[in-house]
Amino acid sequence: MGNPWTGEVALVIDGEARVLKLTLGALVELEAALGTDSLVALVERFESGRFAARDVAAVLVAGLRGGGSAPVDLGKAEIEGGPMQAAKAAGQLIVRAFSLPESGE
């Protein structure tokens, strides 16, 4: 589940497989939520490893909306794989929003 060619990422939240995607609308929402001047600043945050838990949560919430999922209270949700998997999924969302997947994915 989760088509990398369309920018989708799969994540299991509260036992339910969800598809997340950063659409243009979700990216606009994400910029506003994180107070970044540009998407480049957001990407740089993740590339440099200077992201915070709130950054991860904001990316996941935007991805859930972009993927068409109902809102989830991530503060109370159980994410399969824990915080590390959540951060990985957030990073994948950002990468997939701005690039094509490797042919081996």
Side-chain angles (χ1 to χ4, degrees):
M1 194 158 111
N3 183 346
W5 290 98
T6 61
E8 296 176 347
V9 171
L11 186 64
V12 177
I13 303 172
D14 290 334
E16 181 181 338
R18 308 280 184 124
V19 174
L20 292 78
K21 182 176 180 175
L22 291 179
T23 61
L24 183 58
L27 289 167
V28 169
E29 172 188 316
L30 187 56
E31 278 183 335
L34 294 177
T36 57
D37 294 337
S38 69
L39 291 173
V40 172
L42 176 63
V43 171
E44 287 173 346
R45 235 190 257 187
F46 274 82
E47 284 181 339
S48 68
R50 292 180 294 126
F51 59 90
R54 74 178 177 92
D55 298 331
V56 171
V59 171
L60 295 180
V61 167
L64 285 164
R65 283 199 183 104
S69 288
V72 174
D73 181 355
L74 292 178
K76 296 178 181 176
E78 180 69 33
I79 296 174
E80 187 175 287
M84 291 300 289
Q85 185 61 34
K88 180 179 176 183
Q92 286 176 329
L93 278 167
I94 291 170
V95 168
R96 290 182 183 176
F98 298 103
S99 64
L100 292 175
E102 303 274 329
S103 60
E105 266 191 46

